[in-house]
Amino acid sequence: MKNPGAARPAPTIPKTLAELVGADEDLRLTLGYVAPPDRMRVAAVFALALELRRVPEVVKEPPIGEIRLQWWRERLAELAAGEPPRVGHPTLEALAAAAIVTQATLPALEAAIDARAEFLYPEPFETHDAFWSTLERAEAVLLLAAPDATPDAFMGEVRDRIGRYAAARWRARLAPALGAKLRDALLENARSHAPIVVPDNLDPASLLFVALTKGYLKREPGVSWGLAKRLALFRAMALGRL
């Protein structure tokens, strides 16, 4: 696979940012495959995805979660407007340094935050499609990790696979939001996919985590599979299939 960024100098990822991304095994292992010049940009995207994911996990009252997500909406809008990031916040500083948040990318980020807010509330989703759409939109932040000039058709496939990956990985958490019947339908959707063939001129490294979908479906939730996970990522990178 060609790596158009290979000639650029590699920025050093701040320790706080590395620790945040490192706490998620899938993203940490994926980041290890990214060419050094691109790692800061990809780490910034991963960090933002993790920051937004954990809001529903750490708050007990939905209004508090809404306040935290609104804080992110406002900070990202500031970055898109060209304002400097809040000093001392590693994720915002990394996003600004990599110029990830722009007027072009802001609408997708705001849609992802809106989708994440739906997970603050205990009421179950009424349909499988409603849950699937929300999960896919919430995780779509990770699309920004893709290399520049990635074909739109390929990005559409990746967006779908990111939703399937999330469903497989967090299926144990889906029961309260879905109920058994809808959860089973969602998982069947996650199972029914063939690997994506990566275009020859595209480096798939920043998207490797989606190749772990079937591995999660083969195992009980919470089971550690570090070695097999590493082999799955290596195989995906070598074959150019996600």
Side-chain angles (χ1 to χ4, degrees):
M1 298 288 176
K2 296 180 181 179
N3 181 10
R8 300 196 306 272
T12 301
I13 299 176
K15 181 179 179 181
T16 49
L17 190 69
E19 289 176 345
L20 176 59
V21 176
D24 184 282
E25 185 178 50
D26 293 4
L27 298 185
R28 172 174 56 81
L29 293 174
T30 294
L31 190 61
Y33 281 93
V34 175
D38 297 323
R39 281 183 189 162
M40 175 66 85
R41 178 184 62 82
V42 175
V45 173
F46 287 176
L48 177 59
L50 293 170
E51 297 269 22
L52 298 179
R53 271 183 197 167
R54 69 183 183 181
V55 171
E57 297 174 358
V58 300
V59 300
K60 295 182 179 179
E61 298 295 332
I64 302 300
E66 293 280 13
I67 290 171
R68 293 193 180 191
L69 290 175
Q70 181 60 28
W71 186 90
W72 279 103
R73 286 189 189 93
E74 293 172 358
R75 301 295 79 75
L76 294 177
E78 290 171 355
L79 292 183
E83 298 181 25
R86 295 295 176 104
V87 176
H89 196 292
T91 300
L92 289 175
E93 291 179 343
L95 289 169
I100 289 168
V101 185
T102 65
Q103 293 297 334
T105 61
L106 183 61
L109 291 171
E110 291 176 331
I113 293 174
D114 290 343
R116 188 63 64 186
E118 296 189 40
F119 292 98
L120 294 169
Y121 298 91
E123 293 81 5
F125 289 81
E126 294 183 357
T127 67
H128 157 258
D129 288 341
F131 186 88
W132 182 265
S133 174
T134 304
L135 185 64
E136 187 179 84
R137 284 185 290 118
E139 291 291 320
V141 173
L142 292 165
L143 288 171
L144 294 178
D148 293 338
T150 303
D152 289 342
F154 181 73
M155 289 293 280
E157 289 187 278
V158 173
R159 181 187 180 96
D160 175 72
R161 295 309 193 277
I162 286 175
R164 295 171 190 263
Y165 160 80
R169 180 175 177 182
W170 290 294
R171 66 188 187 277
R173 302 182 191 178
L174 303 185
L178 287 174
K181 184 176 180 180
L182 291 179
R183 184 186 67 245
D184 291 346
L186 186 71
L187 291 177
E188 184 58 35
N189 193 335
R191 290 188 182 97
S192 60
H193 79 279
I196 311 173
V197 178
V198 180
D200 289 339
N201 63 342
L202 183 66
D203 184 352
S206 61
L207 304 169
L208 281 182
F209 59 90
V210 300
L212 301 175
T213 301
K214 287 193 173 181
Y216 275 110
L217 291 173
K218 292 177 181 177
R219 294 167 175 85
E220 290 298 318
V223 172
S224 176
W225 54 296
L227 178 58
K229 188 177 289 186
R230 287 168 172 78
L231 291 173
L233 293 175
F234 178 81
R235 184 174 186 272
M237 187 69 184
L239 297 178
R241 293 175 180 268
L242 299 177

